[in-house]
Amino acid sequence: MVAADETVKLTHLQRLEAESIHIMREVVAETEKPVMLYSVGKDSAVMLHLARKAFYPSPPPFPLLHVDTTWKFKAMYELRDRMARESGMELIVYQNPEAVAKGINPFDHGALHTDMWKTEGLKQALDKYGFDAAFGGARRDEEKSRAKERIFSFRSANHRWDPKNQRPELWNLYNARKAKGESIRVFPISNWTELDIWQYIHLENIPIVPLYFANERPTVQRNGLTIMVDDDRFPLNPGEVPEMKSIRFRTLGCYPLTGAVESYAKTLPEVIQEMLLTTTSERQGRAIDHDQAASMEKKKQEGYF
Amino acid sequence: MTDMKAQESSYKTDELIARDIDAYLLKHQHKSLLRFITCGSVDDGKSTLIGRLLYDSKMIFEDQLAALEADSKRVGTQGQNIDFALLVDGLAAEREQGITIDVAYRFFSTENRKFIVADTPGHEQYTRNMITGASTADLAVILIDARKGVLTQTRRHSYLVNLIGIRNVVLAVNKMDLVGYDQDKYEEIVADYAKFAESIGIKAFTPMPISGFMGDNITTKSANMPWYQGPTLMAHLETVELDVAADQVRPFRMPVQWVNRPNLDFRGFSGLIASGVVKPGDAVRVLPSGKTSTVTRIVTLDGDLQQAVAGQSITLCFADEIDCSRGDVITLADAPVQVADQFEATIVWMADEALTPGRAYWLKIGTQTVSASIHAPKYQVNVNTLEHMAAKTLELNAIGVTNIATDRPIPFEAYEQNRTLGGFIVIDKMTNATVGAGMIHFALRRSQNVHWQALDTSRETHANLKNQKPAVLWFTGLSGAGKSTIANLVEKKLVRMNRHTFLLDGDNVRHGLNKDLGFTEADRIENIRRVGEVAKLMTDAGLIVITAFISPFRSEREMVRQMMQPGEFVEIFIDTKLADAEARDVKGLYKKARAGELKNFTGIDSPYEAPENPEIQIDTSKITPEQAADLIIERLIP
């Protein structure tokens, strides 16, 4: 007990951190075989960092799962392997064998690329290893349909999300009980905003993929997006030469699908500064959301994270 | 629309960001967090208000704004103007229906605070969604349409806000533009609301006249209402004092989430501190076991802490190897919490399938999940009129007060004292769905684990000395049934037989021990609980206790029965038809109740639940009081 004038004021980041840690511990205590979906982006970086805090001095008692598309940026693969080593966690890399066999790629297969590598790949991986809970780094501020997502999101045995049949979440009491075959996606950083994520990375000195910082990189223009040519699999038009531009990424996915922004922000404060002064929302850099209104919601019902 | 765009908000500090980002970050880093909920019905302009707060705090990007403008023209309800509601209505299904169907969380921040808004819909699922959204809120904004004033739903929202324990209430009188910004109209509504708020126990609220649609008093002072001297809504949200710090001045409590055991040399107990402060060297107690130890370390990845406070997630190490596992509660050694297995609680039912009284449900409270059975409700609250109604069960969105028995004693605190240790969810064992939420009022019976003062002179000694077997003769029946008359006769006869008795009479007890209690159902239940406890002490002293109380609810009589030693509780049902009792009306009470001068009168506007298997049943239409007394004595002392 303390006197009223000695109370400690917790900042919003301290409260968010405590909430995320609480959520992760609940999952570990109440589920049989949890896993952390690790996409190597900034949100994953924060989530992994929080997991290390939650269970210290133990290493986080679950593996990292990377549902790979084989089309991520090289720099992402490098950081992924480094972080797995440093955290002392097992890293499971899963690639949908059917997508491997068919050579599914973002140039020839359009929406099928995301569907087979990510949506199907994730379902297969969860089934293969029998994970009954998967941590994901989605945030409620990202997109309208996510604003209603629960922290514990229930999926049927065939991984479908039923937006009308989710459990009410009161106080910080999470109901993790489920029938055999059912699973839960858990979003421990639901209540963080993009600015919170950046601020926390800055404060805690969390390693992130260097692509978030501006540098001279080879680029081409496709469908109004600035795309970085990350390897020689990228089909250039006859005579086309990638243009070197100072660019960075606000969000990271498959390199041929991720739009860059022109930028000279080389440090975190500069990145945050740009973000705060910018006038377009984060997900605009992703091709997948533009398909149709409420497209994220449709993808989620089908099992895309 | 152009004027909306032109309206400059001062809530995003573009200048500081551009000039000195490090200074901005330092400032942002020290922001506090305010979680609030907006309560209103479909047409109160709730979504519009939230959309407006996001818009005015510059949380909307150009691409979102472009999409919003296009959507507004396509499906908006505001003609060519921006329909702010579209900004916050998320799921496709509800966008088509034009109503929100769930709880959504929105985020915005200003220079001093980060805000999380829980947005809940305003149709029949309202209670469930609003309770969910309110459970994590520090503040509630109750919206009133200035054209309509205080409506049924306003009362419902206010009741729920108060039930969930939100102390900061803003009364936003919205759509002032549609009543010509009329000060008299506004003040009339505020006065109306003040009267109602007081009646349900809302101690204070902050009223303000606004227009979410036009932007009046949202982030900028309205030029249309110069008569209003108070802050804008945003200014109030930014500066209102929060009671998050209040948790710290209470004694230390932490439910254990997880035992951290990386190797044989380390054993830590992880959890989120529910209240108070902990420091190395503090003497702590683990409940329900009651074992004590001393805190040696507060372990975090960032190094050991010298102290940790409510709201932080930490790991504690103890000096001794004591049993402590998930579900236990660590408290300050000399300020532990109670442990009990029977409670009275308010329950909010949240499932399509109604509550089945007596059935076993999972109950999750703090970090532990126990099996529990929920009794039939003592009453249900009509959330529109706030009247107490008799109920056999609770349907979807119903709120009722009931007793709960858990399969083992659990550490707890009253919800009013501690949300973490007093709030629980109810889980269906078959479907695993969360079917209800509850708030503990108090324990009905203290558990055996609470350490009793050991007494050298036992209850057997007391009873033997009096040469009798203690008992409680519990008379129950309608007012005017003849309980007191017969009870009196029974006592006289027992005394003549040299038995040591004591008669606890309803009216007499209410002059002393229970003079603070009224006649609401809650008070009547507490009346019976206290009488039960007194009767129990008297049986410990070896007495034959005779009680004469209407005691209309089965669950309370059952509660008292369970307080006593097996066989010592004798339920005597004085069975009189309501018409007969009313015709007799010795004290003139029925007449008053019929005239509406007496509220909650059993048989008139409050139910009487007749015993199902009383030990003795007396039909007063067949025998006289004298015969009844003889019959009772005969049954007691064969």
Side-chain angles (χ1 to χ4, degrees), chain B residues 60 75 124 179 192 229 261 264 340 356 359 384 442 556 575 577 622 634:
Chain B
I60 297 168
V75 290
E124 73 273 10
V179 296
D192 245 23
Q229 302 299 319
R261 186 129 223 209
L264 290 176
T356 308
R359 178 170 161 204
N384 293 322
F442 49 77
E556 276 68 59
D575 187 4
K577 289 197 179 59
K622 299 221 170 85
E634 218 171 281

Side-chain angles (χ1 to χ4, degrees), chain B residues 337-478:
Chain B
V337 296
Q338 284 186 63
V339 173
D341 58 6
Q342 287 190 44
F343 307 92
E344 182 188 274
T346 296
I347 298 226
V348 182
W349 202 251
M350 301 185 156
D352 290 325
E353 195 183 326
L355 162 74
T356 308
R359 178 170 161 204
Y361 291 92
W362 295 118
L363 194 141
K364 184 170 181 186
I365 176 165
T367 56
Q368 90 174 329
T369 304
V370 294
S371 186
S373 71
I374 302 174
H375 293 215
K378 297 172 180 182
Y379 59 86
Q380 182 181 333
V381 178
N382 179 326
V383 291
N384 293 322
T385 63
L386 309 185
E387 281 171 342
H388 292 183
M389 312 179 300
K392 292 198 158 52
T393 179
L394 295 173
E395 310 273 352
L396 176 63
N397 289 315
I399 298 176
V401 169
T402 179
N403 288 348
I404 293 174
T406 55
D407 67 346
R408 74 192 98 132
I410 55 173
F412 79 99
E413 279 191 297
Y415 180 78
E416 214 176 57
Q417 299 293 311
N418 189 324
R419 288 191 189 192
T420 306
L421 294 179
F424 58 86
I425 55 171
V426 183
I427 300 168
D428 186 294
K429 286 193 172 183
M430 298 301 291
T431 65
N432 292 317
T434 302
V435 292
M439 289 145 275
I440 291 180
H441 301 170
F442 49 77
L444 297 176
R445 183 177 68 156
R446 253 164 261 131
S447 141
Q448 305 304 318
N449 280 349
V450 172
H451 306 291
W452 289 93
Q453 182 65 42
L455 301 172
D456 291 333
T457 309
S458 69
R459 68 194 312 277
E460 285 72 27
T461 315
H462 286 296
N464 291 341
L465 219 93
K466 296 181 180 67
N467 196 23
Q468 65 184 26
K469 202 176 150 299
V472 176
L473 310 185
W474 190 275
F475 286 74
T476 172
L478 292 169

Side-chain angles (χ1 to χ4, degrees), chain A residues 8 12 15 18 22 26 30 53 55-56 58 144 147-148 171 174-175 191 196 199 273 279 281 297, chain B residues 17 28 31 33 62-63 86 92 94 105 114 132 135 248 257 260 302 311 313 326 364 415 432 434:
Chain A
V8 179
H12 70 294
R15 279 179 75 180
H22 175 259
E26 282 300 288
E30 297 221 337
K53 286 197 170 196
F55 302 101
Y56 178 84
S58 299
K144 269 199 276 187
K148 316 208 158 195
W171 301 292
Y174 304 102
N175 171 4
N191 286 328
D196 297 330
Q199 177 96 44
Q273 188 172 34
T279 51
S281 67
E297 188 182 329
Chain B
I17 295 168
H28 179 80
K31 281 180 188 179
L33 175 65
E62 264 176 18
D63 55 325
L86 292 177
E94 69 200 55
Y105 298 89
K114 167 179 167 150
T132 304
S135 71
Q248 288 177 30
Q257 276 192 288
N260 193 338
D302 307 310
S313 283
R326 177 172 169 84
K364 184 170 181 186
Y415 180 78
N432 292 317
T434 302

Side-chain angles (χ1 to χ4, degrees), chain B residues 187-206:
Chain B
E187 277 169 4
E188 186 189 316
I189 291 171
V190 172
D192 245 23
Y193 185 79
K195 236 182 286 165
F196 164 73
E198 199 192 345
S199 75
I200 62 164
I202 293 180
K203 292 192 182 74
F205 66 94
T206 308

